[in-house]
């Protein structure tokens, strides 16, 4: 209880590094200095750092706390040298802050192309602190990733930290992303010097708590089949990184393979059906508080429609309790229509109302 508040206390005023700073979502922006000015004008507290990308580009980092996570904005600092940037208040990452975990490995020249026509932001990565990258539970999660999705998994280490990351290398990711086939990565960071949260709890404590919540809410009811257990939900599943499958033939075979992995290894899952977007398997591995979501491009087996009207995020429970609103009813109608191939002429269409 109160973990979000504890994480915010650990982040503090953003004037010193802490364990929770590895729990971040990273966006590449066109004008980082303007972003800093805007945040300062808005009264936000943030940390500045600098790094050198794999291709030699000088990069600035701004870290802003929000609800226990860090929003990290990064961008080119081409008008500076590393020395003048440090003098302007953007120091390099210290060795104990695990510089490798913050370094950009993408070909940033491709980002220039993205910004040529518009002032946009690019999502380029996410990271999470972990307590033990050598645990059997973490190995299981990486094995599932490699087996089910052909992820490229890499591990690096030094005297201060160890990091395991995964990304995907394929033609479709390159075509869709336009910024390089390795533009997005997920990093799990075990920082040896930063495992305590606000001097009270640890990263391991947080992982154990979230794992217990998954077990309590996702493994019930005990007397039902596994498909029924996957209809449940808890709010920690909302903290997830998604892995979207390519739209290809053979999706059912891939879905069957994924189901076998999750069931045979007793992974706690909240499964949801999304119209025209296949099945979403929100998988709570005990090795990380960050949920891993597998998004197949087809429907396989039983599933529940999304519905935020009830804590279980389940249309059937909302309908049973009489609290499903028009949005939930409409989403359920779309899902049924898609799965059965029925049209509006054959199915009663609920009225879609705009919420105030």
């Amino acid at each position: 209880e109160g973990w979000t508040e504890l994480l915010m206390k650990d982040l503090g005023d953003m004037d010193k590094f802490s364990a929770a700073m590895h729990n971040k979502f990273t966006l590449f922006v066109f004008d980082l200095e303007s972003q800093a000015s805007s945040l300062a004008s808005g009264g936000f507290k943030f940390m500045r750092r600098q790094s050198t990308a794999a291709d030699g580009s000088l990069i600035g980092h701004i870290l802003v706390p929000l609800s226990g996570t860090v929003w990290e904005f990064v961008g080119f600092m081409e008008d500076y040298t590393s020395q003048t940037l440090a003098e302007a208040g953007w120091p390099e990452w210290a060795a104990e802050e695990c510089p490798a975990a913050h370094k950009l490995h993408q070909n940033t020249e491709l980002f220039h192309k993205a910004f040529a026509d518009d002032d946009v932001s690019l999502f380029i990565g996410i990271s999470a602190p972990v307590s033990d990258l050598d645990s059997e539970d973490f190995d299981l999660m990486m094995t599932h990733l490699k087996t089910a999705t052909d992820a490229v998994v890499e591990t690096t280490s030094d005297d201060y930290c160890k990091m395991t990351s995964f990304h995907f290398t394929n033609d479709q990711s390159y075509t869709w992303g336009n910024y390089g086939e390795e533009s997005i990565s997920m990093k799990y960071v075990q920082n040896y010097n930063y495992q305590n949260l606000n001097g009270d709890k640890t990263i391991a404590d947080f992982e154990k708590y979230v794992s217990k919540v998954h077990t309590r809410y996702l493994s019930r009811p005990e007397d039902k089949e596994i498909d029924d257990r996957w209809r449940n939900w808890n709010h920690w599943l909302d903290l997830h990184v998604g892995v979207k499958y390519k739209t290809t033939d053979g999706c059912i075979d891939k879905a069957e393979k994924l189901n076998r992995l999750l069931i045979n290894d007793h992974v706690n899952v909240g499964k949801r059906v999304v119209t025209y977007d296949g099945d979403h398997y929100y998988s709570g591995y005990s090795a990380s508080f960050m949920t891993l979501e597998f998004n197949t491009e087809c429907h396989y087996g039983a599933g529940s429609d999304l519905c935020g009207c009830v804590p279980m995020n389940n249309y059937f429970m909302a309908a049973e309790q009489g609290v499903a609103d028009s949005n939930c009813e409409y989403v359920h109608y779309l899902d049924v229509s898609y799965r059965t191939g029925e049209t509006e002429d054959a199915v009663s269409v609920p009225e879609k109302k705009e919420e105030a």
Side-chain angles (χ1 to χ4, degrees), residues 3 137 203-219 234 236-237 266-269 283-291:
W3 282 99
D137 292 333
I203 297 297
D205 292 331
F206 189 19
E207 293 167 345
K208 291 175 183 176
Y209 173 78
V210 173
S211 182
K212 287 180 179 179
V213 173
H214 289 329
T215 298
R216 177 177 179 181
Y217 290 99
L218 302 181
S219 62
N234 70 74
W236 289 112
L237 296 178
H266 308 288
V267 178
N268 290 315
V269 176
S283 309
Y285 293 88
S286 59
S288 174
F289 60 79
M290 181 74 69
T291 297

Side-chain angles (χ1 to χ4, degrees), residues 27-75:
L27 291 170
F28 202 101
V29 298
F30 177 72
D31 188 342
L32 189 62
E33 289 188 278
S34 293
Q35 185 73 40
S37 297
S38 177
L39 289 167
S41 297
F44 289 93
K45 298 175 181 178
F46 55 89
M47 174 180 284
R48 294 183 178 92
R49 288 292 186 269
Q50 65 161 289
S51 68
T52 302
D55 63 4
S57 300
L58 186 60
I59 303 296
H61 301 249
I62 298 173
L63 288 80
V64 186
L66 181 65
S67 298
T69 62
V70 170
W71 279 61
E72 179 185 35
F73 300 95
V74 298

Side-chain angles (χ1 to χ4, degrees), residues 7-18:
L7 290 166
M8 287 300 291
K9 289 179 180 179
D10 188 67
L11 292 168
D13 292 331
M14 302 298 288
D15 56 351
K16 59 183 179 181
F17 195 80
S18 69

Side-chain angles (χ1 to χ4, degrees), residues 27-36 58-60 62 72-79 108 110-124:
L27 291 170
F28 202 101
V29 298
F30 177 72
D31 188 342
L32 189 62
E33 289 188 278
S34 293
Q35 185 73 40
L58 186 60
I59 303 296
I62 298 173
E72 179 185 35
F73 300 95
V74 298
F76 296 115
M77 304 298 281
E78 297 172 320
D79 294 333
T108 59
L110 294 172
F111 294 163
H112 279 291
K113 296 180 181 180
F115 294 130
D117 300 323
D118 194 9
D119 181 2
V120 297
S121 62
L122 304 174
F123 168 54
I124 62 171

Side-chain angles (χ1 to χ4, degrees), residues 218 229-232 262 267-271 281-284:
L218 302 181
R229 299 177 189 182
W230 286 6
R231 295 179 187 274
N232 291 345
L262 296 173
V267 178
N268 290 315
V269 176
K271 180 184 177 184
Y281 299 80
Y282 298 89
S283 309

Side-chain angles (χ1 to χ4, degrees), residues 62-334:
I62 298 173
L63 288 80
V64 186
L66 181 65
S67 298
T69 62
V70 170
W71 279 61
E72 179 185 35
F73 300 95
V74 298
F76 296 115
M77 304 298 281
E78 297 172 320
D79 294 333
Y80 296 86
T81 65
S82 179
Q83 180 177 342
T84 58
L85 188 58
E87 292 170 351
W90 304 71
E92 294 184 47
W93 295 100
E96 63 269 18
E97 295 172 348
C98 196
H102 312 287
K103 186 181 182 71
L104 272 62
H105 294 277
Q106 296 91 341
N107 177 2
T108 59
E109 278 301 311
L110 294 172
F111 294 163
H112 279 291
K113 296 180 181 180
F115 294 130
D117 300 323
D118 194 9
D119 181 2
V120 297
S121 62
L122 304 174
F123 168 54
I124 62 171
I126 190 169
S127 69
V130 296
S131 64
D132 187 2
L133 288 176
D134 296 315
S135 69
E136 292 182 2
D137 292 333
F138 189 83
D139 182 66
L140 174 68
M141 183 167 63
M142 292 300 104
T143 298
H144 281 188
L145 267 171
K146 290 185 285 188
T147 303
T149 70
D150 295 326
V152 179
V153 178
E154 299 174 332
T155 298
T156 61
S157 63
D158 58 30
D159 292 339
Y160 295 95
C161 64
K162 186 174 183 178
M163 179 184 71
T164 293
S165 64
F166 73 84
H167 64 267
F168 297 91
T169 302
N170 56 64
D171 292 338
Q172 192 160 356
S173 67
Y174 183 85
T175 301
W176 286 7
N178 298 318
Y179 317 121
E181 56 194 18
E182 299 176 13
S183 61
I184 298 175
S185 65
M186 172 67 200
K187 301 175 181 178
Y188 297 94
V189 185
Q190 182 181 355
N191 191 317
Y192 305 137
N193 290 339
Y194 290 93
Q195 287 292 311
N196 290 325
L197 293 170
N198 198 43
D200 182 27
K201 300 291 185 179
T202 65
I203 297 297
D205 292 331
F206 189 19
E207 293 167 345
K208 291 175 183 176
Y209 173 78
V210 173
S211 182
K212 287 180 179 179
V213 173
H214 289 329
T215 298
R216 177 177 179 181
Y217 290 99
L218 302 181
S219 62
R220 296 174 184 273
E222 298 293 347
D223 60 339
K224 298 289 185 179
E225 297 297 323
I226 193 70
D227 285 339
D228 295 293
R229 299 177 189 182
W230 286 6
R231 295 179 187 274
N232 291 345
W233 193 260
N234 70 74
H235 74 277
W236 289 112
L237 296 178
D238 292 316
L239 182 63
H240 64 263
V241 56
V243 176
K244 185 178 180 67
Y245 282 62
K246 294 191 299 181
T247 305
T248 61
D249 293 333
C251 180
I252 294 298
D253 291 338
K254 294 178 181 178
E256 288 178 339
K257 183 178 184 179
L258 176 62
N259 275 256
R260 286 196 301 270
L261 288 171
L262 296 173
I263 292 172
N264 292 343
D265 289 320
H266 308 288
V267 178
N268 290 315
V269 176
K271 180 184 177 184
R272 292 299 179 270
V273 174
V274 179
T275 309
Y276 305 112
D277 195 30
D279 294 335
H280 294 234
Y281 299 80
Y282 298 89
S283 309
Y285 293 88
S286 59
S288 174
F289 60 79
M290 181 74 69
T291 297
L292 190 59
E293 177 207 2
F294 297 95
N295 175 196
T296 62
E297 291 302 301
C298 54
H299 297 298
Y300 172 79
S304 300
D305 298 334
L306 294 166
C307 181
C309 299
V310 290
M312 281 300 180
N313 189 20
N314 184 319
Y315 166 79
F316 300 107
M317 294 188 67
E320 182 179 316
Q321 296 174 20
V323 296
D325 66 5
S326 59
N327 285 322
C328 287
E329 294 286 2
Y330 189 71
V331 168
H332 176 62
Y333 154 72
L334 291 175

